[in-house]
């Protein structure tokens, strides 16, 4: 891997992986706009290590092996200095193997909390213990939900998250129905008509993007929304808009961050975003904001460590790394960013933060 001084035009080259197809593709326009804002803000100041940052968007909606092959080919040029992105854990695992710790890899999505990540992978998103599990227990406490049905996409994050939820329950048999469907599933009738769904007090949705919106539409059509609340850690404002307000009744979302225009920081960020992209830009959402944060966290990492070399970053993590980012100080436990957790009730197509859960 080339050192920074060998970059042919003196830039910091970042590969940003965001799905541009499949159920996660719904967030791509928002992510592109948010990333360009972060790049503009960094380049208008000191850049990263005194150099201009430049991003290349990679389609993370393809098969993990395809994404990994493209990343590997680009890394082999010696002109890539970091990877960021919002994409599935299946893609992350493949890309991490392909990158093999050659450059830092800042993963901004909720994940399953595995402990065997390869060196150089920094987990900026939430893991189940800090987000989904507390949300389930909050609904148990506040709404009396005792029995659950789980619907998830069929890959590592939903399955491992469901296992973490089950392990946290005093009675593991409280999960009365658990089904997994392919990414992009068009029809959830097998779940919605299953007799065991009548035994559940609530539903946990462990799916991605447009799949969540489609499920909420079909779920609302059954009339269950008034009596069986749903909770998900994987919905942003794009998902709410795609589903429509009538489909979001009784829907709760857990996250470490909601972009709230009622707070000074939120208003200022949204103002900067619209100043750059105009009033009709794709919405700046909690997911696209995560990609914005990832780019700024990369800049903070370089400022604090003085390098983007993975061994130096790992040494800083071992000695207690704190990073100043647009939303405050980030601390780490191992390679995992320490997060707060919040739960929001959906009102139409907006989030109403109602409690802190971790």
């Amino acid at each position: 891997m080339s050192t920074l001084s060998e970059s042919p035009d003196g830039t910091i080259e970042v590969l940003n992986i965001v799905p541009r197809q499949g159920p996660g593709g719904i967030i791509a326009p928002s992510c592109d706009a948010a990333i360009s804002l972060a790049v503009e803000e960094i380049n208008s100041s000191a850049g990263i290590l005194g150099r201009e940052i430049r991003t290349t968007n990679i389609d993370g909606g393809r098969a993990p092996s395809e994404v990994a092959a493209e990343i590997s080919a680009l890394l082999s040029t010696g002109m890539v200095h970091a990877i960021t992105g919002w994409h599935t854990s299946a893609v992350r695992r493949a890309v991490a193997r392909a990158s093999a710790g050659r450059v830092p890899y800042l993963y901004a999505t909720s994940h399953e909390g595995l402990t065997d990540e390869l060196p150089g992978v920094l987990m900026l998103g939430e893991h189940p213990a800090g987000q989904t599990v507390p949300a389930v227990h909050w609904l148990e406490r506040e709404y009396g939900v005792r029995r659950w049905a789980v619907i998830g996409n069929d890959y590592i994050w939903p399955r491992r998250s469901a296992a973490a939820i089950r392990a946290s329950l005093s009675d593991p048999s409280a999960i009365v129905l658990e089904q997994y469907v392919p990414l992009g599933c068009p029809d959830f009738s097998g779940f919605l008509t299953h007799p065991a769904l009548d035994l559940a007090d609530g539903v946990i949705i462990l799916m991605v993007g447009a799949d969540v919106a489609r499920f909420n539409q079909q779920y609302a059509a059954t009339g269950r929304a008034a009596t069986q609340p749903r909770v998900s850690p994987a919905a942003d404002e794009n998902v709410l808009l795609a589903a429509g307000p009538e489909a979001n009744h009784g829907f709760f979302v857990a996250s470490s961050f909601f972009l709230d225009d009622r707070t000074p920081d939120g208003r200022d960020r949204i103002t900067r975003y619209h100043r750059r992209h105009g009033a009709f830009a794709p919405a700046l959402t909690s997911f696209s904001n995560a990609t914005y944060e990832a780019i700024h966290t990369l800049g903070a990492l370089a400022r604090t460590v003085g390098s983007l070399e993975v061994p130096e970053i790992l040494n800083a993590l071992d000695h207690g790394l704190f990073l100043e980012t647009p939303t405050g100080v980030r601390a780490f436990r191992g390679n995992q960013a320490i997060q707060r957790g919040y739960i929001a009730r959906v009102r139409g197509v907006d989030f109403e933060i109602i409690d802190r859960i971790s």
Side-chain angles (χ1 to χ4, degrees), residues 89-103:
S89 291
V91 169
R92 184 192 77 246
R93 301 286 280 183
V95 168
R97 288 192 296 270
S99 63
R102 286 178 282 178
V103 297

Side-chain angles (χ1 to χ4, degrees), residues 142-208:
E142 299 295 328
Y143 282 78
V145 179
R146 296 289 183 268
R147 293 169 299 183
W148 292 96
V150 176
I151 178 75
N153 288 128
D154 193 5
Y155 71 98
I156 186 172
W157 166 68
R159 288 187 174 275
R160 293 299 296 254
S161 295
I165 293 166
R166 186 185 296 276
S168 78
L169 297 171
S170 56
D171 178 9
S173 67
I175 295 181
V176 297
L177 175 61
E178 187 173 348
Q179 283 190 5
Y180 296 93
V181 297
L183 288 161
C185 178
D187 182 6
F188 302 98
S189 58
F191 179 86
L192 296 172
T193 60
H194 196 289
L197 185 56
D198 292 333
L199 304 176
D201 302 313
V203 177
I204 300 166
I205 306 172
L206 299 173
M207 293 190 290
V208 175

Side-chain angles (χ1 to χ4, degrees), residues 72-324:
S72 183
L74 290 168
L75 285 170
S76 70
T77 68
M79 295 186 292
V80 174
H81 303 105
I83 303 169
T84 64
W86 190 102
H87 45 274
T88 68
S89 291
V91 169
R92 184 192 77 246
R93 301 286 280 183
V95 168
R97 288 192 296 270
S99 63
R102 286 178 282 178
V103 297
Y105 180 6
L106 278 63
Y107 184 68
T109 321
S110 299
H111 59 91
E112 62 284 348
L114 297 178
T115 58
D116 63 344
E117 297 298 335
L118 293 174
V121 181
L122 271 64
M123 312 297 276
L124 306 185
E126 307 89 343
H127 59 87
Q131 181 194 45
T132 313
V133 169
V136 165
H137 290 287
W138 185 90
L139 282 163
E140 180 182 47
R141 184 174 64 252
E142 299 295 328
Y143 282 78
V145 179
R146 296 289 183 268
R147 293 169 299 183
W148 292 96
V150 176
I151 178 75
N153 288 128
D154 193 5
Y155 71 98
I156 186 172
W157 166 68
R159 288 187 174 275
R160 293 299 296 254
S161 295
I165 293 166
R166 186 185 296 276
S168 78
L169 297 171
S170 56
D171 178 9
S173 67
I175 295 181
V176 297
L177 175 61
E178 187 173 348
Q179 283 190 5
Y180 296 93
V181 297
L183 288 161
C185 178
D187 182 6
F188 302 98
S189 58
F191 179 86
L192 296 172
T193 60
H194 196 289
L197 185 56
D198 292 333
L199 304 176
D201 302 313
V203 177
I204 300 166
I205 306 172
L206 299 173
M207 293 190 290
V208 175
D211 284 3
V212 180
R214 195 178 305 113
F215 175 82
N216 276 343
Q217 290 172 332
Q218 294 178 29
Y219 186 85
T222 68
R224 293 179 178 273
T227 56
Q228 289 176 313
R230 286 123 41 241
V231 63
S232 174
D236 73 344
E237 291 84 347
N238 286 310
V239 172
L240 304 186
L241 287 166
E246 296 303 317
N248 295 326
H249 179 68
F251 186 36
F252 295 82
V253 174
S255 177
S256 65
F257 183 82
F258 292 97
L259 191 64
D260 190 346
D261 63 6
R262 293 168 296 183
T263 65
D265 176 70
R267 283 196 302 273
D268 182 59
R269 191 171 307 183
I270 291 169
T271 297
R272 297 197 310 274
Y273 179 83
H274 286 299
R275 185 182 301 129
R276 174 174 173 78
H277 296 296
F280 297 102
L284 180 59
T285 73
S286 53
F287 288 167
S288 59
N289 183 73
T291 63
Y292 168 92
E293 287 282 333
I295 298 294
H296 271 290
T297 300
L298 180 68
L301 189 66
R303 287 194 304 273
T304 304
V305 178
S307 169
L308 286 178
E309 298 296 327
V310 169
E312 295 185 36
I313 292 170
L314 296 178
N315 182 62
L317 286 169
D318 287 342
H319 289 83
L321 180 64
F322 294 88
L323 302 177
E324 289 281 354

